[in-house]
Amino acid sequence: MALNILKLCVGCDSVEDLEAWVAHKLDERRRNGEPVEHWHTTRMVPSRGAEIIGDGSLYWVIKGSVQCRQRITDIRPFTDNEGIGRCRIVLAPEIVRTRWQPRRPFQGWRYLKAEDAPADLGDGAALAEMPPKLRQELAELGLL
C-alpha cells in the first residue's frame, strides 16, 4: 500500500492556480533547455522514500482543504548553494482532483496513509467546471 505526502500549497488559491504554475514552470524549463520535469523543493528528506516513490502522491492542501494530488516519481536529496541540505520531490505534471478533505494549517509536510487519503474525483467534470469560490463555499459547508 502506497504512502503519500501531505503539503500546504502556499501561494495558490485554487487548483487552477496550481495547474497554471506547473505549466509555467514546465514551459520555462523547456525554453531554457533543461529537463522538462516538475518538482517541489523541501528542506527535509522523507525517510520512508522507498514506500512513496512510484505509487505515492503529494496531496495538496489549498485554502484549508485537500483538493488535488500529483504522483511522486522520485525523491532527490541535494545540497544548495549555501550548503543547506534540501530535497526535490519530483512530481508527475498531471494534477488529479480529489474529494475535498478539510485540513488545519501545519508546517512542512506530513505522511498520509493511503487509507486516510481522499478519493479521486474520477468523473467529477461538473465539479471541476464549478467556479473555485463556489467550490470553496460548498466545502466549508461540508457539502464537498
Side-chain angles (χ1 to χ4, degrees):
M1 191 166 273
L3 184 64
N4 303 294
I5 291 179
L6 183 67
K7 179 91 175 88
L8 297 181
C9 191
V10 179
C12 288
D13 291 330
S14 66
V15 177
E16 291 82 4
D17 283 353
L18 178 60
E19 289 170 335
W21 185 79
V22 169
H24 169 75
K25 294 306 280 184
L26 292 174
D27 286 344
E28 187 176 83
R29 290 189 178 108
R30 193 175 290 112
R31 282 192 308 273
N32 292 336
E34 300 171 1
V36 182
E37 59 183 11
H38 176 62
W39 64 78
H40 178 74
T41 303
T42 68
R43 183 147 157 77
M44 302 301 292
V45 178
S47 60
R48 298 172 67 184
E51 298 174 68
I52 298 169
I53 297 172
D55 291 329
S57 289
L58 192 153
Y59 282 78
W60 290 109
V61 177
I62 300 172
K63 293 292 190 180
S65 292
V66 176
Q67 296 184 30
C68 61
R69 68 178 179 86
Q70 288 179 274
R71 192 173 51 80
I72 298 172
T73 61
D74 201 4
I75 295 174
R76 299 179 190 152
F78 71 100
T79 303
D80 70 11
N81 295 338
E82 297 173 3
I84 298 171
R86 301 213 182 268
C87 176
R88 283 193 180 115
I89 299 174
V90 183
L91 304 166
E94 298 81 24
I95 296 171
V96 179
R97 291 170 189 264
T98 64
R99 293 193 178 274
W100 284 32
Q101 186 180 76
R103 290 289 174 151
R104 292 185 179 265
F106 57 91
Q107 289 189 347
W109 52 264
R110 303 283 184 268
Y111 289 117
L112 179 65
K113 295 178 186 173
E115 60 266 21
D116 296 332
D120 291 351
L121 279 182
D123 190 22
L127 185 61
E129 292 173 7
M130 192 180 296
K133 185 165 177 48
L134 179 58
R135 284 195 313 254
Q136 179 70 34
E137 290 173 5
L138 291 173
E140 288 170 0
L141 293 170
L143 299 173
L144 289 184

